[in-house]
Amino acid sequence: PFDVLVLGAGPAGDAAAIYSARKGLRTGLVAERFGGQVMDTAGIENFISVQETEGPKLSAALEAHVRQYDVQIIASQLAAKLIPAEDVGGLHQIVLESGATLRSKTIIIATGARWRHLGVPGEDEYRTKGVAYCPHCDGPFYKGRPVVVAGGGNSGVEAAIDLAGIVSHVTLLQRGAHLKADKVLQDKLLSLSNVTVLTNALTTKIEGDGKEVTSLTYSDGDGGLHHVKTDGVFIQIGLLPNSEWLKGALKLSPYGEIVINDHCATSVPGVFAAGDVTTVPYKQIVIAMGEGAKASLSAFDYLIRLPVA
Ligand code: FAD
């Protein structure tokens, strides 16, 4: 069995695996793919100390760093079930989609999240070429240019307020008749002079010139089609944690995030979690890496306190 079994090889899982191996712990890493969401990212300018990099380059660096250590990599596999140990200090089991079972004294879940997609034509084609999901990451790329935000909940309205300070103009599209964000956020949004809010506006298509986004089409409540010229479309209709397979095994928030404390401990002793799959506020690479390191040090702390067998 492993001392530490890490699930997910994004920034959080890779950091956790490296920290665990450096403690001399027997470490396994279920790596469906190295980099996680970072693999889907074009330019990265907020990974502190690296002025500019690209997703595939950072993902390759993460993989190389992990492979420098004695980490057993279980490649191209997904975890399908967690069977917690019956007693504190016992072995937890992870059943893989392949049916194989792995056993470990501690588990670190770092299975990340995915942005909910609109599912309209042009969204996939122009991803990272005008279609964006993260205002903290990509907002500055649109400095002085017009953008659209799709989504009128808290994240959409927060994104619109954030972007309004950077871009020339923000058009926020809300599918329903009313914004769903908190009142204070709505008031703030409506006080901004370079924001237009359109309700009953259902995005139907994202268009471009083959290289970049140039416009967006939406239908109004009566089925009429309208076009907005734009350089960017920020889709803000929800972040879905990859935690469906954990239902019933440990405590999840109403949004499906794994509930953790400030040591990355979950509701099950010996099971830790890190990064975008958890309740940690703000989903970013530097934060996920820090959380992965923290989860690993917490697992180490747990292991050294187990009674001598
Ligand atoms: P993830 O990166 O999501 O990695 C989780 C991994 O676990 C994935 O490989 C996944 O396939 C795997 N997995 C899922 N389910 C299972 C399972 N059941 N068993 C095993 N493995 C599983 N952040 C920034 O700081 N700067 C940016 O510029 C930036 N740009 C972004 C651009 C885009 C397009 C996107 C989508 C995100 C961006 N982010 C950016 C956010 C950043 O990528 C995430 O915050 C970060 O990757 C989270 O790391 P993580 O390790 O928690 O999860």
Side-chain angles (χ1 to χ4, degrees):
F2 295 106
D3 294 321
V4 181
L5 179 60
V6 182
L7 309 177
D14 293 338
I18 291 168
Y19 265 70
S20 298
R22 286 173 60 83
K23 288 283 182 205
L25 300 171
R26 208 171 315 127
T27 306
L29 175 64
V30 176
E32 191 242 344
R33 66 171 187 164
F34 276 95
Q37 292 169 71
V38 173
M39 266 310 276
D40 301 327
T41 306
I44 299 167
E45 298 188 350
N46 62 357
F47 183 51
I48 305 310
S49 87
V50 178
Q51 292 176 18
E52 225 182 312
T53 186
E54 278 142 27
K57 198 169 152 195
L58 180 56
S59 299
L62 284 168
E63 178 169 356
H65 202 176
V66 171
R67 288 189 186 277
Q68 195 189 333
Y69 289 94
D70 189 11
V71 174
Q72 187 176 330
I73 294 165
I74 300 113
S76 312
Q77 289 287 337
L78 287 170
K81 195 172 179 196
L82 162 70
I83 305 172
E86 282 176 18
D87 313 302
V88 174
L91 292 177
H92 303 288
Q93 297 180 59
I94 292 292
V95 183
L96 299 177
E97 274 191 350
S98 65
T101 300
L102 303 171
R103 290 179 178 77
S104 184
K105 291 180 189 162
T106 66
I107 306 278
I108 297 176
I109 304 169
T111 49
R114 59 200 191 272
W115 294 94
R116 194 194 291 270
H117 292 181
L118 280 173
V120 299
E123 181 177 14
D124 283 345
E125 186 184 346
Y126 289 106
R127 181 172 310 143
T128 76
K129 297 169 191 152
V131 173
Y133 296 86
C134 175
H136 315 302
C137 315
D138 295 346
F141 296 135
Y142 296 91
K143 188 170 179 205
R145 298 154 69 193
V147 302
V148 168
V149 172
N154 276 338
S155 53
V157 171
E158 280 170 18
I161 294 168
D162 174 358
L163 291 165
I166 302 169
V167 306
S168 61
H169 188 88
V170 180
T171 306
L172 182 136
L173 302 183
Q174 158 69 351
R175 188 173 57 162
H178 305 285
L179 295 178
K180 297 244 174 70
D182 298 340
K183 175 83 168 50
V184 291
L185 290 174
Q186 293 193 33
D187 291 347
K188 173 77 189 184
L189 181 73
L190 297 174
S191 76
L192 300 172
S193 60
N194 62 338
V195 175
T196 307
V197 175
L198 301 173
T199 53
N200 287 318
L202 178 71
T203 305
T204 56
K205 196 171 177 200
I206 296 167
E207 294 109 357
D209 58 10
K211 277 196 248 147
E212 289 179 327
V213 166
T214 53
S215 66
L216 172 146
T217 303
Y218 68 90
S219 77
D220 58 34
D222 304 319
L225 291 181
H226 305 264
H227 298 279
V228 188
K229 277 201 173 324
T230 186
D231 287 358
V233 179
F234 283 80
I235 298 168
Q236 295 290 306
I237 55 172
L239 184 68
L240 305 171
N242 296 320
S243 63
E244 293 84 355
W245 61 282
L246 287 162
K247 274 192 190 123
L250 42 65
K251 189 169 177 204
L252 301 177
S253 77
Y255 302 106
E257 298 165 325
I258 301 172
V259 176
I260 54 166
N261 68 9
D262 59 4
H263 281 66
C264 296
T266 71
S267 59
V268 177
V271 178
F272 302 85
D276 281 17
V277 74
T278 72
T279 47
V280 73
Y282 313 118
K283 316 300 192 199
Q284 294 282 281
I285 298 165
V286 278
I287 293 175
M289 284 188 184
E291 290 288 299
K294 205 204 281 179
S296 172
L297 296 175
S298 296
F300 178 72
D301 243 22
Y302 170 90
L303 287 166
I304 59 173
R305 282 171 175 73
L306 288 180
V308 182

